[in-house]
Amino acid sequence: MATIPERQTSRAAGWSRRIGAFSLVLLLTVVAGYRLDLVDTPPFLWVLALVALLAALALLLAGLALSRLWNFGDRGGRDLSVGALLAVLVLAPFGIAAYWATVYPPLRDISTDVDDPPALDTSDRTSDMNALSPPTPGEQSLQAEAYPLVSGRSYNLPFETVVDAVETVLDRRDWQLTAPYPDINSQSEATITAVARGLVLGLPADVAIRVADDDRIAVVDMRSASRYGRHDLGDNAARITDFLAELDQEVAGQVGAAPAE
């Protein structure tokens, strides 16, 4: 009498579920710790890389378990389904970031004035951060093509009025000033520096806003440079265009005037 071999439980399916769950918990924990300033940026980025590797491993194990279930009738369909689902959830943000990397140019330092960008505060920058250097002609072309809305502002207003508007907009943002607001008495130029954080992961970027008095016209230029990463995924350009659009509204609300340019 022929005997039917007993169905085995796929070990790969069980490990897929365990590793997928661990990668999700690790991701949520390290992101929460980073947003609460409990983890520094370099370790945070290394842990993110580890999370991606773990999630990819969980997905691979789920595929192996599915092959065993299909070919040999092993048990473990529920475990491999949970493992694959958790892995996909963890890898989804990495996939979105990879897509953005193909959409946006590989830039990490954006300025409305590429020939004479506003000076950033480098007092607390370390050697493991991105080096600051003038943009190359190729980078200037990439920025102009990808971000046509990144342009400075010129207001037919007193220098002091525009500086006050810039400070008002800054006060509404959760940016950390690297120095107190400058004293503009008897001055024709003022630069305000701060550290801003990205919306999703909170990666830091140095920001400088320069207001200059040019023959009764206040000229505003802005610069945003990522401290970490080879690609800003469009974060710096979005920060500049959003701030300057809000500055336009603030100026118009204060004096009922639109920017000259």
Side-chain angles (χ1 to χ4, degrees), residues 100-218:
W100 285 346
T102 63
V103 173
Y104 297 108
L107 300 173
R108 59 195 182 198
D109 189 346
I110 304 295
S111 174
T112 58
D113 187 348
V114 294
D115 296 320
D116 182 24
L120 298 172
D121 186 350
T122 60
S123 59
D124 63 342
R125 293 182 67 90
T126 58
S127 59
D128 60 340
M129 297 179 184
N130 292 330
L132 296 176
S133 59
T136 64
E139 291 173 339
Q140 294 181 11
S141 299
L142 282 176
Q143 177 181 319
E145 181 180 354
Y147 307 123
L149 297 180
V150 175
S151 59
R153 298 292 194 270
S154 298
Y155 300 98
N156 289 315
L157 296 170
F159 169 73
E160 296 80 4
T161 301
V162 176
V163 172
D164 289 342
V166 169
E167 294 177 356
T168 300
V169 176
L170 275 171
D171 289 339
R172 291 199 292 260
R173 293 175 176 262
D174 189 23
W175 295 358
Q176 180 183 357
L177 295 177
T178 59
Y181 288 136
D183 184 5
I184 60 174
N185 290 329
S186 302
Q187 300 293 323
S188 60
E189 182 175 308
T191 300
I192 304 173
T193 57
V195 176
R197 291 188 172 272
L199 180 62
V200 180
L201 293 180
L203 294 177
D206 287 300
V207 175
I209 305 163
R210 183 180 63 205
V211 184
D213 189 0
D214 184 13
D215 192 20
R216 298 182 181 180
I217 295 179

Side-chain angles (χ1 to χ4, degrees), residues 227-258:
R227 288 189 169 186
Y228 299 92
R230 298 181 179 181
H231 202 309
D232 67 359
L233 305 178
D235 181 66
N236 291 307
R239 180 176 296 109
I240 291 175
T241 54
D242 183 59
F243 183 91
L244 293 180
E246 188 174 346
L247 179 62
D248 289 339
Q249 297 177 357
E250 180 65 26
V251 169
Q254 284 190 6
V255 297

Side-chain angles (χ1 to χ4, degrees), residues 76-89:
R78 179 178 300 177
D79 284 345
L80 77 85
S81 298
V82 173
L85 177 61
L86 293 175
V88 169
L89 288 176

Side-chain angles (χ1 to χ4, degrees), residues 21-76:
F22 178 70
S23 65
L24 178 60
V25 172
L26 183 59
L27 176 63
L28 296 177
T29 302
V30 73
V31 169
Y34 184 68
R35 295 308 294 260
L36 295 174
D37 293 328
L38 301 177
V39 181
D40 292 333
T41 302
F44 171 67
L45 296 177
W46 280 111
V47 174
L48 284 185
L50 177 61
V51 166
L53 289 176
L54 289 173
L57 177 60
L59 196 59
L60 175 62
L61 290 173
L64 292 176
L66 180 61
S67 176
R68 292 283 306 180
L69 263 69
W70 182 266
N71 294 317
F72 303 103
D74 287 0
R75 294 188 178 94

